[in-house]
Each structure stands twice: as structure tokens, then as C-alpha cells.
Amino acid sequence: MQIINEEKIFADKIDEEIKIEPKDWMPDQYRKTLIRQISQHAHSEIVGMLPEANWITRAPTLRRKATLIAKVQDEAGHGLYLYSAAETLNISRDEMLKQLHSGKAKYSSIFNYPTLTWADMGAIGWLVDGAAIMNQVPLCRCSYGPYARAMIRICKEESFHQRQGFEILLTLSKGSKAQKQMAQDAINRWWWPSIMMFGPNDDASPHSKQSMEWKIKRFSNDELRQKFIDVCAEQVKILGLVLPDEKLKWNEETKHYDFGEINWEEFRNVVNGNGPCNKERLEARVKAHEDGAWVRDAAAAYSEKRKSREQKAVA
Ligand code: FAQ
């Protein structure tokens, strides 16, 4: 009887757009779905620091360097909010990191591609952060309170990231012939992986239906991908560059851009750990974690010391 009641209260809250909070009863599968999605999202932010960090020492000007450092630092902050949001669902950060470092947990496919030139910083900002915003703005209305609230600040910062990326590409596109070519080459390499970020097609997406019923996801993978393509197809004109898809064409009937076939085999390969940089990314994360052990030990020892001092003062 008790359970039926709890299920009903949960379902009513979802219907009435009342947020589910950590201490509320929730179906076990809802909890597991959120842990899966939020932890994968956190891992993506943290691993996502690596491709851009690669260019901090080679940024062309001091202004570009300072901006890039700030952006990469923002991604670290996003990872930390998201790990905290996932912790409210009863999983420890250690457990999540263990899953990442052992290769059991996923993170976004996009971060397994290399950053070959400075223009890649522009393409990542414009396309990767652009795709992230398209996917994440609806997550601000996710039914789980801590995730929805974390997304509000994250989206504001991602929006700044997207503009800084577009501005890098705009500057290059107005530069020398070689600079314009560099910008085009970066777009050519990042376009298809960016539209893969939205995940498999709806009919191949095992989690979408249930996640949409629970209002974790508000739009399907294909709906968001289409919105993103429609926006980028217009923005690229401002750059005077092109998206590398011969089939990209405005469809007057659907009022959307038609686009070419996505290489799902490449997507599966990257998600299964065989992309160009999967091994390198994971090794870098594990090394950073191991190198940082002394900081965690020192922080824990300091916290213990403070606690015992406080206890002595009370006694
Ligand atoms: N890569 O049934 P669905 C960022 C997996 S943050 C790898 O459709 P779902 C910021 C999926 O997990 C980017 N795996 O799953 C930044 C599932 O595997 P599982 C990350 C993928 O969850 C910018 C399986 O395929 N954003 O970029 C991918 O309903 C610049 C079946 O898929 C988020 O995480 C993929 N692309 O929908 C940082 C947003 N797509 O768990 C640095 C939150 C799918 O069964 C620099 N997440 N898979 O083993 C979401 O919105 C959803 O989780 C989706 C996937 C849409 C990603």
C-alpha cells in the first residue's frame, strides 16, 4: 500500500512539473538512469578539458590564452557540479571515478578526436559547445531538481564558450588565405563528430522513451540534432565557410535542413573505445588522478585535524 502511494506521489509530481528532490521516494530505475546520465555528463566535462588544454601553451595571443584557460577551468567546474548532483543519488565520487578510470563508464564520443590546429579551438567552441547547449538547455527543465539547477549555470557558461569559439573562427575566416583554410579544415573535421554527440537515432536509442516519460529528456536525440543542424547551416554563412555535407539542403516542405547519412559505424567504434584518442584520454585522466593523490590526502588530513580540534574545544 505504502509503495503504491509513493509511486503515485512520484508520478503526480512528474505530471505537475514539480521537481523530484534527493530525499523524495523515486523508482529505482529513475535513480539509476539519472546516475548513468549525470555521471557520464560529468565525465564528459572532465575529459573534455583535455583536447583544449592541449592548446593553452600555444594560444596565439595573451588574450586568447587567458580566455582558453578560463574556458577549460569552467569545464572543470561543470564536472564538479555534476559529480555533486550525482552524489545526491547515493553514489560516491570515488565509485564514479573508478567506473571512468576502468573504462566501464562512458563519456561523450566527441572528446576522442585530436586537436590539430588553433582553429580547432574555434570549431570546438562553436560546434561542440553549441551542440552541448542545444542538448543542455532543455535539461534545465529536467525533473530531477539538483541536475536541473546545475544546468542553469552550466548553460550560461557554455553560451559564452560557444561565442568565443565562433569569434575565433570569424577572425580566422577574415584573415589570410591559409587562415581561412585552417578554419575550414577544422570545421570539416569537427562537423560530423559534433552531430554524433546527440546520440543514436531515435529508433536505436534504448533509453529515450523512458527518459522522456520521466521528463529527464524533453526532446529526442533526433529532434535536438535537427535543431542544431538548422542553426549551424545558417551561422556558417556568416563565416563565409561551408559545412562538409553535400546533401545539406533547405527543405521547404519540412522547414528544416535535410542532411547526409551519419557514419554510425564510426560512432559505435568511438563509443566502444576505439576512437583516435580514447586510449590517450583515459591514460591522461588516470595519471592526473594518481598525481593528485597527495592533494586529496592532505585535504583529508587537514579536515580530520580541524574536526578533532573542534571536538576538543566543545569537550
Ligand atoms: N558519446 O539511449 P541513448 C560537453 C550512449 S558535455 C558516448 O540515446 P541517452 C561540454 C548512451 O550513454 C557533452 N556515448 O542514451 C563541453 C547510452 O549508453 P549506456 C556531454 C553516447 O542517455 C564542451 C547509449 O549510447 N553531454 O560537451 C553518446 O538517453 C566543450 C544509448 O544512447 C551530456 O552528457 C555519445 N555522444 O541519451 C566540455 C548531456 N550518445 O549508458 C568540454 C547529458 C549516446 O546505455 C569542451 N546527456 N551515447 O551504456 C544526455 O543528454 C544523454 O545522455 C545523451 C544520450 C543524449 C548523450
Side-chain angles (χ1 to χ4, degrees), residues 276-306:
C277 301
N278 293 59
K279 198 165 166 281
E280 185 186 328
R281 298 289 184 243
L282 218 50
E283 278 172 6
R285 276 317 316 157
V286 171
K287 182 174 184 310
H289 188 72
E290 284 169 358
D291 289 352
W294 69 272
V295 179
R296 292 189 298 278
D297 290 346
Y302 178 66
S303 159
E304 270 309 306
K305 199 162 101 183
R306 272 187 66 169

Side-chain angles (χ1 to χ4, degrees), residues 36-37 40-42 44-49 52 71 75 78 106-111 124 128-129 132 135-136 139 147 158 161 196-201 204-208 211 217 221 224 267 271:
R36 180 185 63 78
Q37 178 166 327
Q40 286 179 4
H41 192 166
S44 304
E45 301 280 358
I46 297 295
V47 177
M49 295 165 72
E52 286 169 293
K71 179 189 190 290
E75 311 299 358
H78 299 173
K106 291 194 169 75
Y107 58 85
S108 184
S109 48
I110 192 74
F111 302 117
I124 291 181
V128 177
D129 286 278
N135 164 276
Q136 290 171 13
L139 289 175
Y147 193 25
E158 300 288 26
H161 297 167
M196 290 176 195
M197 281 176 75
F198 294 93
N201 280 147
S205 160
H207 303 300
S208 279
S211 288
K217 284 168 95 163
N221 298 356
L224 291 172
F267 174 73
V271 172

Side-chain angles (χ1 to χ4, degrees), residues 172-184 241:
L172 289 172
S173 73
K174 289 180 180 159
S176 67
K177 203 171 157 214
Q179 286 171 320
K180 192 168 178 181
Q181 183 50 44
M182 197 200 284
Q184 182 62 60
L241 299 171

Side-chain angles (χ1 to χ4, degrees), residues 202-269:
D202 292 350
D203 53 10
S205 160
H207 303 300
S208 279
K209 187 172 174 289
Q210 181 62 77
S211 288
M212 287 180 75
E213 277 169 21
W214 277 330
K215 298 185 181 168
I216 295 172
K217 284 168 95 163
R218 297 281 177 159
F219 295 96
S220 76
N221 298 356
D222 287 334
E223 283 170 333
L224 291 172
R225 187 175 3 255
Q226 183 68 61
K227 276 176 184 241
F228 177 68
I229 291 171
D230 290 347
V231 166
C232 293
E234 290 301 317
Q235 289 178 345
V236 78
K237 294 179 190 168
I238 301 168
L239 296 174
L241 299 171
V242 289
L243 296 175
D245 180 356
E246 283 172 4
K247 295 198 173 145
L248 189 77
K249 198 167 176 278
W250 177 252
N251 182 327
E252 198 44 51
E253 236 166 75
T254 60
K255 302 279 181 217
H256 289 294
Y257 275 88
D258 290 335
F259 55 95
E261 186 60 27
I262 293 171
N263 184 344
W264 291 115
E265 200 187 324
E266 174 182 326
F267 174 73
R268 275 191 296 274
N269 237 335

Side-chain angles (χ1 to χ4, degrees), residues 64-130:
R64 294 290 188 203
K65 191 194 285 281
T67 312
L68 189 59
I69 291 174
K71 179 189 190 290
V72 172
Q73 209 172 342
D74 284 351
E75 311 299 358
H78 299 173
L80 299 185
Y81 305 146
L82 289 165
Y83 282 130
S84 298
E87 280 175 313
T88 64
L89 291 153
N90 231 351
I91 180 167
S92 71
R93 194 169 302 201
D94 277 350
E95 181 57 32
M96 288 185 271
L97 291 179
K98 222 182 276 167
Q99 290 175 359
L100 173 67
H101 297 159
S102 67
K104 188 175 161 225
K106 291 194 169 75
Y107 58 85
S108 184
S109 48
I110 192 74
F111 302 117
N112 293 306
Y113 290 86
T115 42
L116 304 181
T117 70
W118 170 252
D120 289 22
M121 300 305 98
I124 291 181
W126 178 43
L127 297 174
V128 177
D129 286 278

